[in-house]
Amino acid sequence: MDQLDELLTCRLDFRRRKAEPCSIVIFGASGDLTARKLIPALYHLFTEKQLPDPVRIIGFARREKSSEAWRAELKAGVEAFSRTKRVDGRLWEAFATCIEYCQGEFSDAQAYAKLAGQIAGFEHAALKQNLLFYLSTSPSQFAEVAEHLSKAGLLKRETTEPGWQRVVVEKPFGHDLLSAQKLNTELTRFAHEKQIFRIDHYLGKETVQNILMFRFSNAIFEQLWTRQSVDHIQITVSEKIGVGSRGGYYEEAGALRDMVQNHLLQVLALIAMEPPVSLEAESIRDEKVKLLRSIRPLHSSQVATSIVRGQYTAGEVDGQPRVGYREENKVRPGTNVETFVAARFLVDNWRWSGVPFYLRTGKNLPLSASEVRIQFRPTPNVLFAAQCGTKLDANAITLRLQPNEGITLRFNGKVPGTSLQIRPVRMHFSYDSEFGAYTPEAYERLLLEAIEGDATLFIRRDEVETAWSIIDPIREGWSNRSLSNDEFYSAGTWGTVAAEQLLAASGHTWRNPQPVS
Ligand SMILES: NC(=O)c1ccc[n+]([C@@H]2O[C@H](COP(=O)([O-])OP(=O)(O)OC[C@H]3O[C@@H](n4cnc5c(N)ncnc54)[C@H](OP(=O)(O)O)[C@@H]3O)[C@@H](O)[C@H]2O)c1
C-alpha cells in the first residue's frame, strides 16, 4: 500500500460498538461445530485481543467430563481445525483460564440452576449480567433451552435491569415456513427479536460483506447495476465433496433447504438490494427483506419450468471414484432428495424487471467455488459485433466469493499483431495479492458482532420467513414426484442437462467457475 492509499483508507470502526465483558455459554459444547469453528474462532479473537476482557466461556453438553478434559479436547480441535493450526502454548494457557464446562441435559431444570450458580460465581459484575447464549444444537432444542434459561433467570426479555442477554441460533432455522414461524413464536416468548441472532455463516465471509462496499462505495459499478445494463446474473455455489458422513442430515435437508434457502438467497439479496438509507443493521436488513419480497412467487405448477433438481450418480471427481448419492451412508435407497438445484428467479421491481437471476448449487461438482457473475448486455449489433456475431463476448464482472477470493472484470481487447483479432481479456483484483493471505474465519466476525450486539450480519425474523415462502412452493412442486432419468448427473460433472436447458431457453449458458492456479 502506498502513502496515498494509506491516506485514503476510510476507517469505519468508529461505528463499532464496544465489546463489553461477558460470559459466552455454548450449548452443544461437545459437538462438531464447537470444536471445528466456534472455539478456533474464539481462540483467534482472544490472541488478537479482540475479545472483551474479562470474558468467560462455558460449554454446556450432556456428556460427563471435567473442565480440564474439555479444554484438552478444545486444544486438539484448535490444532486440527483452526486457520493457523498452530497453538501458542502461553496464549492457550491464558485463553484456557477463561473456559469451563457445565455438564447437563437440555431438559433438566437442575442443570440450568447449576449453570446459573457457575455464572453467579464470577467475580466481575458484567460477567454475570452480559450473557451470550450460543445454541449450537438441533433447532428442535432451541425453544427448550431458551425456556429453561428464562426460568432460571438467565435470559430476560426486555428487562430494564443492567446488562444484556443475546441468543445466537444456528442454521437450519426451520425446515419450511410453518416450522420457522413456530420456532420464531417460541423463541420470542423468551427473548425479544433484537436479542436473537440467527446465523448464516456466509454473511461472515469477507467477500460477502464486500458486496455492499463494492456496490455502494464505487460510483462506476452501481450505475451499471440495473436492467438497462445487466443481461442476467448467475450465482454458483459448487462443492466438490459429496454428502460423506452427513447422509442422515442431508436426507432431511437436500440442496434446496441446505443451500438455496439461506446462502444463495442471502447472496442474491446483497447483490440486488437497493441502497440502504444508512449503514445501521435495520436499514440494511429492511432492504434485503424488500428484495426477497420482490422475487416473483412461483406457484408449485410453475416449478418445472423455473427450477431444476438433480441427484448425483457414481462418477469421478479429480480422478477419485465417487459413489452415487443413493449408495451413500445413512441415505435411503431410492431416495428422491436433491443434491443439485438450478433455479431461475425474476425480481419484480423497477431496477431488475425482466433480468433473470440464475442460482445453482450442488455436490460432487468438478470444483468447489462460490461466485457471482454479473453478465452485461451485448454491444449493439454493429461494428465488431456485426462482424463477430455471438463470438464477441459480452462484458462481465465476476465476484469470486471463495476460494481465490477476488473480483474480475472481463472485456474485449485487440490481440497484438498485424492481424485484426479480438478476444476477451481480464482485469483481476485478488484479495491475497492486495491484502495478504490473512482472511479471518466467518465465525470470528460473527461471534464478535454478536458480542458487540450488532445484528447487521444476522438474519431477521421476516427475512428468514420470506426466504422460506420462496422455497416452500418449490418443494411442493417436487413432492410426490420421483426423480426422472434426466434428473441425475454423474459425479464430477456440472449438474443435469436440464440445468443447461433452463438457461438455453433464454439464450444463456452457465459460465462455470474456473480453477485459479
Ligand atoms: N457442524 C457444522 O459444521 C455445522 C454447520 C452449520 C450448522 N450446524 C448446526 O449446528 C448445530 C450443531 O451441530 P453439530 O454438528 O455441532 O452437532 P453435533 O456434533 O451432533 O453436537 C450436538 C451437541 O449437542 C449436545 N446435545 C445434544 N442433545 C443434548 C441434550 N439433550 N442435552 C445436552 N446436550 C445435548 C451434544 O452433547 P453430547 O455430545 O454430550 O451428547 C453435542 O455437544 C446443528 O443444528 C447443525 O445443523 C453445524
Side-chain angles (χ1 to χ4, degrees):
M1 184 161 64
D2 65 21
Q3 256 182 340
L4 185 60
D5 285 351
E6 174 68 40
L7 279 171
L8 290 176
T9 301
C10 176
R11 297 180 206 286
L12 298 170
D13 280 347
F14 63 86
R15 283 188 61 247
R16 281 192 95 108
R17 298 164 194 228
K18 202 170 162 301
E20 297 167 350
C22 65
S23 297
I24 302 167
V25 185
I26 302 175
F27 290 89
S30 47
D32 174 70
L33 185 70
T34 306
R36 280 197 312 114
K37 297 288 180 189
L38 304 183
I39 295 296
L42 288 167
Y43 171 70
H44 283 301
L45 289 172
F46 180 83
T47 59
E48 283 152 21
K49 300 199 171 20
Q50 302 222 46
L51 280 186
D53 183 20
V55 68
R56 293 288 177 276
I57 299 163
I58 302 182
F60 188 112
R62 193 164 34 191
R63 271 176 248 185
E64 192 71 63
K65 68 179 94 173
S66 65
S67 291
E68 283 71 36
W70 191 48
R71 287 184 205 122
E73 276 174 28
L74 298 180
K75 188 175 181 203
V78 175
E79 280 162 346
F81 304 119
S82 84
R83 64 178 154 85
T84 54
K85 302 278 188 282
R86 221 174 40 80
V87 175
D88 179 309
R90 204 174 41 83
L91 285 173
W92 177 266
E93 284 312 312
F95 179 58
T97 58
C98 308
I99 300 178
E100 36 191 278
Y101 187 71
C102 177
Q103 186 273 331
E105 163 67 44
F106 292 155
S107 59
D108 177 14
Q110 292 300 319
Y112 295 84
K114 185 167 67 174
L115 174 68
Q118 247 171 286
I119 292 172
F122 295 147
E123 276 175 20
H124 199 292
L127 296 177
K128 304 179 216 186
Q129 296 163 355
N130 297 337
L131 307 174
L132 186 77
F133 300 112
Y134 199 114
L135 273 47
S136 178
T137 72
S138 143
S140 60
Q141 295 164 319
F142 291 167
E144 180 179 48
V145 174
E147 180 167 7
H148 277 294
L149 285 172
S150 168
K151 285 187 176 151
L154 290 168
L155 174 60
K156 297 173 195 121
R157 193 182 191 279
E158 289 194 284
T159 170
T160 50
E161 290 171 30
W164 49 259
Q165 297 94 49
R166 298 181 190 126
V167 182
V168 182
V169 291
E170 262 299 335
K171 77 157 220 191
F173 197 86
H175 51 87
D176 57 13
L177 177 59
L178 217 66
S179 59
Q181 285 171 329
K182 185 163 172 274
L183 210 47
N184 277 326
T185 308
E186 286 171 348
L187 273 179
T188 48
R189 278 172 57 210
F190 310 110
H192 189 274
E193 171 62 24
K194 61 178 186 268
Q195 294 173 280
I196 302 173
F197 288 64
R198 296 176 194 79
I199 290 252
D200 181 334
H201 74 265
Y202 248 61
L203 295 184
K205 291 185 188 295
E206 288 286 337
T207 44
V208 175
Q209 290 163 39
N210 190 45
I211 294 173
L212 290 191
M213 316 267 170
F214 181 71
R215 289 190 53 196
F216 302 128
S217 67
N218 293 298
I220 51 171
F221 301 122
E222 188 50 21
Q223 292 183 25
L224 299 174
W225 229 251
T226 72
R227 73 190 138 82
Q228 281 85 12
S229 309
V230 175
D231 187 63
H232 69 274
I233 292 180
Q234 300 187 9
I235 303 176
T236 299
V237 176
S238 58
E239 292 182 291
K240 239 160 61 163
I241 51 166
V243 295
S245 59
R246 295 179 73 222
Y249 162 76
Y250 212 77
E251 276 292 277
E252 299 304 316
L256 189 68
R257 285 181 172 133
D258 190 41
M259 302 296 284
V260 183
Q261 187 272 343
N262 36 68
H263 308 329
L264 277 97
L265 285 182
Q266 282 296 319
V267 172
L268 166 56
L270 291 169
I271 285 290
M273 69 188 236
E274 292 300 315
V277 292
S278 78
L279 293 175
E280 294 302 317
E282 296 320 320
S283 304
I284 294 174
R285 301 200 296 180
D286 285 348
E287 293 306 330
K288 282 166 63 193
V289 175
K290 260 167 62 186
L291 189 283
L292 292 174
R293 288 193 180 136
S294 320
I295 294 179
R296 187 180 297 176
L298 287 174
H299 186 268
S300 49
S301 61
Q302 299 164 314
V303 167
T305 51
S306 297
I307 317 283
V308 166
R309 64 177 170 170
Q311 189 188 86
Y312 60 81
T313 55
E316 267 188 17
V317 178
D318 280 349
Q320 301 294 316
R322 296 290 165 90
V323 297
Y325 178 67
R326 289 179 176 179
E327 286 84 60
E328 297 275 16
N329 239 339
K330 300 192 197 147
V331 166
R332 288 170 306 217
T335 177
N336 289 312
V337 166
E338 77 289 352
T339 59
F340 175 89
V341 178
R344 176 178 186 270
F345 288 122
L346 289 170
V347 175
D348 285 333
N349 65 14
W350 193 265
R351 184 189 287 261
W352 295 117
S353 178
V355 177
F357 285 75
Y358 299 115
L359 276 54
R360 172 174 65 156
T361 185
K363 290 206 175 283
N364 262 331
L365 301 188
L367 189 75
S368 288
S370 302
E371 65 180 44
V372 180
R373 187 181 175 100
I374 317 295
Q375 186 70 50
F376 293 100
R377 288 186 180 283
T379 54
N381 195 27
V382 291
L383 303 179
F384 299 112
Q387 305 277 317
C388 302
T390 51
K391 276 190 106 181
L392 188 71
D393 202 36
N395 301 145
I397 293 177
T398 302
L399 284 79
R400 178 76 163 233
L401 306 179
Q402 68 176 32
N404 312 109
E405 293 82 355
I407 298 174
T408 306
L409 171 64
R410 194 175 158 99
F411 55 99
N412 294 306
K414 180 181 178 305
V415 180
T418 47
S419 67
L420 191 56
Q421 290 182 47
I422 303 175
R423 76 158 171 80
V425 294
R426 293 167 196 81
M427 266 166 61
H428 183 62
F429 149 69
S430 145
Y431 274 76
D432 275 10
S433 328
E434 186 71 26
F435 300 118
Y438 164 73
T439 317
E441 279 274 342
Y443 276 96
E444 292 174 38
R445 179 76 194 262
L446 293 171
L447 278 158
L448 195 58
E449 301 274 307
I451 292 169
E452 292 172 356
D454 187 335
T456 312
L457 302 180
F458 298 85
I459 317 290
R460 207 167 60 186
R461 177 182 188 154
D462 47 359
E463 231 176 316
V464 78
E465 292 183 2
T466 308
W468 279 121
S469 70
I470 296 166
I471 295 302
D472 280 0
I474 304 175
R475 294 218 66 82
E476 272 165 43
W478 290 342
S479 65
N480 304 322
R481 212 170 51 73
S482 300
L483 290 170
S484 59
N485 284 345
D486 57 4
E487 290 179 311
F488 291 95
Y489 62 99
S490 304
T493 64
W494 280 103
T496 62
V497 174
E500 302 297 334
Q501 289 162 349
L502 181 72
L503 270 67
S506 316
H508 299 141
T509 47
W510 287 108
R511 306 299 284 254
N512 297 328
Q514 297 299 313
V516 179
S517 50

